[in-house]
Amino acid sequence: MENIITCPHCKTQFDMSIKPTKTSSKYLWIFDNGHGGVIDGVYQTQGKRSPEWPDGNVLYEGEFNRSIVDRLMKMCNANDIDAVNLVDTPVDISLRERVNSANQIAKSSDKPCIYVSVHANGFSDESANGWEVFTSPGETKSDPIATVLYEKAKAEFPERKMRPSTADGDPDKEAKFTVLTDTSMPAILSENFFMTNYRECHEILMSESGRDRVAKIHFEMIQQLENG
């Protein structure tokens, strides 16, 4: 079914239609919404937020991350794709606990697992902008997964800057993040634009249409790998 949304900022129309996927899930997808959420109006993670903008708004990264994972879980459930929300709570669960839980899930799963950590980026200079994806250092099974997500982001956001690192022939950046190095399965971490950039924060991260588009690129990656 066609699903067209209009960006309230630039008035551009975007096709949010998702084609049905096959009903036999190949993988178990483990979604990790980075950092804590909001409990009784109190954000649970020190820092990890946008500046307070002139309009009085503040983006809390953990709330944004959870909104994307919530969307992904609904998409996966609607398409019979096996998925787990690793941190189904606003509490800020430690990285070690996240990794241990994911590894335990993978150990007991009868399907191969893929770990997807969702984030928004930040920097001290407001001019920093763009989208990027990370894997652990070296050539791993995570690299082709990150490449698929990168291509989906590039296609969905042609008006936005992509931040690839092509030193080793693929677009993902490499980092020794705990959720990438200590997980027992392929793992990627997406940095979905900068919460410290006024335009990206308002037009994408704080808007429902922008969040829908961020979730869409992750789900399109899932569909491609499930059907590949």
Side-chain angles (χ1 to χ4, degrees):
M1 182 179 296
E2 187 178 69
N3 180 18
I4 305 297
I5 64 172
T6 302
C7 174
H9 299 280
C10 64
K11 306 305 179 184
T12 303
Q13 290 190 322
F14 300 101
D15 184 2
M16 296 300 298
S17 306
I18 296 292
K19 296 179 180 179
T21 191
K22 65 182 183 181
T23 59
S24 178
S25 182
K26 184 189 300 184
Y27 300 103
L28 172 60
W29 295 86
I30 300 177
F31 300 130
D32 170 23
N33 41 41
H35 313 300
V38 178
I39 300 176
D40 296 330
V42 179
Y43 185 45
Q44 299 300 298
T45 304
Q46 185 175 4
K48 302 299 180 183
R49 67 191 72 193
S50 76
E52 181 175 346
W53 300 111
D55 58 11
N57 286 319
V58 176
L59 177 88
Y60 299 106
E61 185 190 352
E63 181 276 324
F64 165 79
N65 300 339
R66 280 161 176 73
S67 76
I68 302 303
V69 167
D70 287 346
R71 285 166 165 79
L72 285 173
M73 288 299 299
K74 290 176 182 177
M75 290 178 178
C76 286
N77 290 336
N79 287 274
D80 295 321
I81 294 174
D82 292 335
V84 173
N85 182 348
L86 187 65
V87 187
D88 191 14
T89 170
V91 176
D92 191 353
I93 303 299
S94 71
L95 294 175
R96 179 49 51 194
E97 186 174 345
R98 292 168 191 257
V99 166
N100 289 345
S101 296
N103 289 344
Q104 188 59 44
I105 291 170
K107 186 176 180 180
S108 61
S109 174
D110 60 355
K111 296 180 179 181
C113 297
I114 297 177
Y115 189 103
V116 180
S117 188
V118 176
H119 291 257
N121 221 333
F123 194 63
S124 57
D125 187 338
E126 186 185 332
S127 66
N129 66 99
W131 187 97
E132 56 195 4
V133 61
F134 286 84
T135 64
S136 58
E139 187 174 344
T140 70
K141 293 180 180 179
S142 305
D143 293 353
I145 300 169
T147 296
V148 173
L149 181 57
Y150 176 87
E151 292 301 330
K152 299 302 181 183
K154 184 178 178 181
E156 177 65 26
F157 295 98
E159 76 281 13
R160 303 289 177 175
K161 178 181 179 180
M162 295 290 113
R163 298 166 61 94
S165 174
T166 56
D168 59 352
D170 52 41
D172 62 273
K173 294 188 173 182
E174 297 183 349
K176 294 182 179 180
F177 297 147
T178 300
V179 297
L180 301 179
T181 60
D182 291 6
T183 40
S184 62
M185 68 220 74
I188 64 171
L189 185 149
S190 61
E191 290 281 10
N192 298 284
F193 303 103
F194 280 74
M195 59 188 165
T196 48
N197 179 279
Y198 181 88
R199 287 193 61 194
E200 290 188 346
C201 190
H202 282 75
E203 295 176 7
I204 301 175
L205 303 181
M206 289 198 296
S207 77
E208 292 301 309
S209 60
R211 293 180 178 201
D212 287 344
R213 295 174 71 195
V214 170
K216 179 189 176 188
I217 63 174
H218 288 77
F219 189 69
E220 288 178 337
M221 170 197 69
I222 292 167
Q223 284 191 306
Q224 180 168 323
L225 292 169
E226 284 285 342
N227 292 307

